[in-house]
Amino acid sequence: MFPKFKEHISNKMSFLKGKKLLLACSGGVDSVVLAYFCVAVDLDIALAHCNFSLRGEESDDDEDFVRELAIQLGVEVFIKSFDTRQYAETHRGSVQMAARELRYQWFDELLKTKGYDYILTAHHADDSLETFLINLSRGTGIDGLSGIPEVNEQVVRPLLPFSQEEILGYANSENIKWREDSSNESTKYLRNKIRHQIVPILKELHPTFLQNFLNTQNHLQQTNDLVVNHLTELKSGLFEQRDGTIKIIIAELEQLQPMESYLYGLFKDYGFTEWEDVKALLSAMSGKQMISKTHRLLKDRDCLILSEIKNRVSQTYPVYINGTPSGLPIKLKLENVKNLENQGQNVVFLDKEKLNFPLVLRNWEKGDYFYPFGMKGKKKLSKFFKDEKMDVISKEKQWLLCSDNKIVWVVGKRADERFKVEDSTQQIIKITLHT
């Protein structure tokens, strides 16, 4: 097996040479064999071991084993213990999901703080088959049937072409020691049921079942690549980037057939995997929206507006008369002038004596009102936004320049009548928004 591994690294994963690699090592046979192989092909590795504190003394013995393994291999080792059950209770998830989240959060931290380039995991061909069957049982698209990727951003899986049987055979032939995780024998978990009760039967059907599966999965991955390339090209025409959001014309989406497949493919990366809900949004009333964990999809008249969800906290910034104030979320320039010039949306002229400095730049809030320049009487900002046909996202991004609690300028939109320059004005201040 080792010659095949060496050839695999040379032909498919030569990018690992010369890089700092963090190898996730549980102490099980897969990660231990991977550690031996990496040292043998002169990859620069360190071991990272998670003690999830789930099996008492057995978990601590695993930790001690990995420490000893690092000494034998002459590599650095990082160990971290977690209260996994407490984390699962706090986050209302399963212990398995808690362990996964804790593991990868720590790995990401090590990558950033210790300067490692990639994380190596010991997933193999049987793991990929189990994942395929899990996804198949739950219902999935072609991406869910394409298996575990060999390279996923900074996570690399060098053992994916190899079977569990090959790894065990090599470990036994070389008298390599490893730790057995007793929880792997329990069939109360779905993956273990598939591993112990279904996969053996499938392998009995044909002596080369696993290799046939790997060939089929390779075809699926290639087909998925074609789909991804097509969707990427389609997005470049349909998804219009605008002020940090994405605008999609509904009429153009409705022309795509089969619509359901296209809606799923176009929006799944933003957390919208229920194509029926996206389809319903196309004909919904303006203002309706969908929320995923990371994004918002808003119906706005004849289009959809896609934006990343950010915790919106009303922020305030002091604005002084000092040319171009620093530290503001937008670029404003303040200057004293003697005469009025052409006044556009991005420029206002104000009576300086009517202002109390520092001015305040803040987000809009419900209940805000102002006195629009050139009009009599006040107007609620919500009504002004509606007249301006501003969508929800644009409203949230709108900045107000205020003097005390009075709105001086709906920045880039409309000045307030109360602060206009009059015949009696002695000092004029010009404020410019640079976009």
Side-chain angles (χ1 to χ4, degrees):
M1 179 187 172
F2 176 68
K4 290 170 61 179
F5 177 85
K6 186 176 181 180
E7 182 181 1
H8 177 59
I9 294 298
S10 178
N11 293 339
K12 298 289 185 68
M13 295 189 170
S14 59
F15 63 89
L16 296 177
K17 292 284 187 178
K19 300 297 184 181
K20 290 187 64 178
L21 310 173
L22 195 65
L23 193 155
C25 185
S26 65
V29 62
D30 308 324
S31 58
V32 170
V33 167
L34 178 59
Y36 274 98
F37 279 0
C38 288
V39 170
V41 297
D42 201 28
L43 293 180
D44 181 10
I45 66 166
L47 305 184
H49 176 76
C50 301
N51 185 338
F52 293 112
S53 308
L54 294 172
R55 293 175 289 115
E57 186 176 340
E58 188 178 337
S59 292
D60 295 334
D61 289 343
D62 289 349
E63 177 181 325
D64 293 339
F65 174 84
V66 174
R67 289 187 190 275
E68 288 298 320
L69 177 64
I71 294 172
Q72 292 175 26
L73 296 177
V75 299
E76 190 173 6
V77 62
F78 300 96
I79 307 284
K80 187 159 185 176
S81 297
F82 301 95
D83 189 343
T84 311
R85 287 194 175 88
Q86 179 61 46
Y87 183 91
E89 290 177 8
T90 302
H91 293 78
R92 298 183 181 180
S94 69
V95 171
Q96 291 72 36
M97 287 304 300
R100 175 181 172 79
E101 290 178 14
L102 289 168
R103 176 168 60 245
Y104 281 101
Q105 286 172 11
W106 182 49
F107 289 165
D108 288 342
E109 180 184 332
L110 287 174
L111 285 177
K112 294 173 183 175
T113 60
K114 301 296 183 180
Y116 285 90
D117 299 296
Y118 295 100
I119 300 165
L120 304 186
T121 70
H123 292 93
H124 48 71
D126 290 76
D127 291 321
S128 193
L129 173 58
E130 292 163 12
T131 299
F132 172 91
L133 293 172
I134 289 171
N135 290 340
L136 183 65
S137 70
R138 292 171 175 170
T140 185
I142 189 172
D143 51 341
L145 299 178
S146 299
I148 304 172
E150 281 194 321
V151 181
N152 185 11
E153 296 181 351
Q154 289 180 284
V155 179
V156 182
R157 302 176 175 93
L159 292 182
L160 270 185
F162 305 95
S163 69
Q164 174 82 89
E165 184 179 3
E166 288 178 286
I167 295 169
L168 279 170
Y170 180 85
N172 287 321
S173 68
E174 299 297 321
N175 294 316
I176 292 174
K177 295 181 179 179
W178 69 86
R179 294 281 298 171
E180 290 287 358
D181 184 342
S182 60
S183 66
N184 287 336
E185 300 303 316
S186 172
T187 56
K188 71 177 183 178
Y189 303 120
L190 176 60
R191 182 175 289 275
N192 285 355
K193 281 186 179 181
I194 289 174
R195 177 178 302 165
H196 298 300
Q197 299 176 0
I198 298 177
V199 170
I201 296 174
L202 292 175
K203 289 183 177 180
E204 286 178 6
L205 296 176
H206 198 286
T208 59
F209 177 85
L210 185 59
Q211 186 56 54
N212 294 342
F213 162 74
L214 292 177
N215 293 337
T216 299
Q217 197 161 70
N218 183 51
H219 298 325
L220 287 171
Q221 288 171 346
Q222 292 178 11
T223 302
N224 192 48
D225 289 342
L226 291 175
V227 172
V228 170
N229 290 338
H230 173 60
L231 290 174
T232 300
E233 184 177 351
L234 195 61
K235 281 182 181 179
S236 67
L238 288 175
F239 285 32
E240 177 188 346
Q241 300 285 342
R242 186 184 68 178
D243 297 330
T245 64
I246 298 173
K247 178 182 177 182
I248 309 112
I249 303 300
I250 291 175
E252 295 180 5
L253 287 178
E254 291 175 333
Q255 294 177 7
L256 300 175
Q257 295 297 330
M259 185 189 294
E260 296 83 357
S261 298
Y262 274 108
L263 292 179
Y264 174 80
L266 290 170
F267 294 101
K268 67 181 177 63
D269 290 341
Y270 307 99
F272 303 103
T273 56
E274 301 296 330
W275 61 262
E276 299 98 331
D277 295 337
V278 179
K279 185 177 181 181
L281 192 63
L282 301 184
S283 56
M285 293 178 60
S286 188
K288 292 289 185 180
Q289 61 182 359
M290 294 174 58
I291 303 291
S292 72
K293 289 184 178 180
T294 58
H295 286 77
R296 170 169 49 193
L297 192 59
L298 170 72
K299 169 71 178 294
D300 183 46
R301 294 181 290 278
D302 62 349
C303 66
L304 299 180
I305 306 295
L306 179 65
S307 64
E308 186 178 359
I309 293 176
K310 297 179 180 178
N311 293 329
R312 183 178 183 269
V313 178
S314 184
Q315 300 182 68
T316 60
Y317 301 87
V319 179
Y320 299 90
I321 304 178
N322 60 347
T324 304
S326 60
L328 301 181
I330 56 177
K331 188 175 181 181
L332 297 177
K333 182 178 180 181
L334 288 76
E335 54 189 323
N336 294 306
V337 296
K338 295 182 178 179
N339 300 302
L340 292 177
E341 305 167 7
N342 292 332
Q343 182 168 331
Q345 283 191 325
N346 291 340
V347 179
V348 291
F349 293 87
L350 307 171
D351 187 326
K352 187 176 180 180
E353 293 180 352
K354 297 177 181 178
L355 303 172
N356 288 325
F357 284 89
L359 302 179
V360 172
L361 185 70
R362 67 169 175 84
N363 299 116
W364 84 281
E365 299 172 354
K366 289 184 178 180
D368 278 336
Y369 65 90
F370 76 127
Y371 291 75
F373 182 80
M375 294 178 58
K376 293 182 179 180
K378 66 182 181 181
K379 189 171 192 175
K380 283 190 174 182
L381 272 183
S382 57
K383 179 64 167 62
F384 174 77
F385 291 155
K386 184 176 181 180
D387 292 344
E388 291 287 306
K389 297 183 178 179
M390 293 173 62
D391 59 59
V392 173
I393 297 167
S394 298
K395 295 174 190 177
E396 290 183 356
K397 291 183 176 181
Q398 181 62 54
W399 291 99
L400 308 177
L401 188 63
C402 304
S403 175
D404 294 330
N405 292 320
K406 299 175 181 178
I407 295 174
V408 172
W409 185 23
V410 181
V411 179
K413 297 290 183 183
R414 195 80 166 263
D416 190 291
E417 176 77 11
R418 292 169 292 180
F419 301 92
K420 70 179 182 181
V421 175
E422 300 178 298
D423 292 339
S424 59
T425 298
Q426 300 296 314
Q427 298 182 71
I428 301 174
I429 186 168
K430 176 184 177 183
I431 305 180
T432 306
L433 169 64
H434 292 278
T435 57

